[in-house]
Amino acid sequence: MHRPWRLAPRAPRLGLPDHLLRAAARALGWLSPRIIAAILGPPPVNKRGDSLDGQLHLLLTLETAVAGPTHPTLAERRTKMRKGIALIDGPPAPVGGLVETVLAEDLPVRVYRPASPRGRPWMLYLHGGGWATGDLDSHDRICRRLCSENDLMVIALDYRLSPETPFPGAIGDVRKAWPAAAELAARLGANPAWATVGGDSAGGNLAAVMCHHHRDLDLPGPSPRLQLLVYPAMDFRLVEASHAEFAEGYLLTKESIDTYKALYAPPDDSHPDASPGLQPDLSGLPHTIVVTAGFDPLRDEGEAYARRSTEAGTPTVLLSEPGLVHGFLQMDAVLPAADAAVRRICGALQEGLRQTRP
């Protein structure tokens, strides 16, 4: 039974300093990179020669100025994520309709319906947040954009978080949700066979694992035709060079990665259910879109997955955003470069949907 829809996502309480920071963030689009460079100096350049986006350079400087505890508690991390998104959020993209309900008896979802859902594709979307933070509200904006700009029904899953439900609990939730989501999509007018899955960061990890399981274990529900993996976590060994290069200063830090890894607690870092990038066979998977950011610790493992996927014969698109950082999906309302990146993601998704139509 559908639950009453909340007219707006719940927002954390903001104090005066937060409102001042929010006002500063909203002014970013009006400041030219030349002015910012004159104030802060030139933006950092990574080892590949890519420059950090100038406006993002200022945003990161503001974030550092108001940073909280060096080693926050889990509760503080969850609060910080919600508050950080509230500080840079903008007007939500309009969608044709919104539904909140529960799948498979106990899995909350939020459904974003396009204006004309009849026969359209659908996506099960899995939010990021290190398997320990994030929820339906934290990724409301990107789900709205995926829906409105791609004429796509998006079903966002509120999977259980660690450490309350450690590895492989979230994987089990995704597997259970998939066939139920297909049935819900059909009831709400979408084409159940035009099935896709997507996610960012930890959600990209879960999306990739689900596609591997569906291929190998004959899971119920339609076969996914496309997977969208935005700066996905693909290798729990944390051995790629980008982890060392961007360990500090670019939002997702080594300290945070180590904390989330310990909370999720997979017993074997090399197991493909923890590290889908180590899946020995990447053939026979759905059309794959991998998105990476140039100043992200997870950059290299995402690129490695895209490279191996292509070599295995899986249709694969790699979108590289060289001047951005992990988490840019949430920055599109204040950062022109992030907004442009989301538009490119939607363009690649539109082309992928065209190629995978049943």
Side-chain angles (χ1 to χ4, degrees), residues 10 25 67 151 254 269 344 358:
R10 291 184 293 264
D151 202 18
K254 181 181 186 304
D269 291 348
R344 284 188 285 271

Side-chain angles (χ1 to χ4, degrees), residues 6-7 22 24 36 46 70 73 86 113 123 128 131 151 170 234 250 259 307 335:
R6 298 194 309 271
L7 293 180
R22 179 170 181 161
I36 296 172
N46 65 24
T70 304
T73 66
R113 301 177 68 184
M123 172 179 285
W131 304 272
D151 202 18
M234 304 303 275
Y250 300 99
T259 297
R307 182 172 58 253
L335 195 67

Side-chain angles (χ1 to χ4, degrees), residues 106-142:
D106 62 348
L107 296 176
V109 295
R110 182 177 295 168
V111 185
Y112 303 80
R113 301 177 68 184
S116 300
R118 181 65 56 188
R120 296 304 301 160
W122 63 278
M123 172 179 285
L124 181 66
Y125 193 84
L126 310 171
H127 67 77
W131 304 272
T133 69
D135 53 28
L136 298 179
D137 290 341
S138 66
H139 286 64
D140 181 79
R141 182 175 175 81
I142 184 58

Side-chain angles (χ1 to χ4, degrees), residues 280-358:
D281 180 10
L282 298 184
S283 64
L285 293 170
H287 182 105
T288 298
I289 302 170
V290 179
V291 183
T292 61
F295 288 76
D296 180 6
L298 306 186
R299 180 196 65 193
D300 292 358
E301 59 200 66
E303 292 179 352
Y305 186 83
R307 182 172 58 253
R308 291 189 55 235
S309 179
T310 299
E311 292 169 352
T314 293
T316 304
V317 174
L318 173 63
L319 293 181
S320 176
E321 299 297 338
L324 296 180
V325 297
H326 194 90
F328 70 74
L329 286 183
Q330 271 78 30
M331 303 176 190
D332 64 318
V334 298
L335 195 67
D339 179 59
V342 174
R343 289 200 304 270
R344 284 188 285 271
I345 291 171
C346 288
L349 181 56
Q350 290 165 16
E351 178 60 20
L353 291 172
R354 186 189 66 79
Q355 295 181 23
T356 59
R357 183 168 189 158

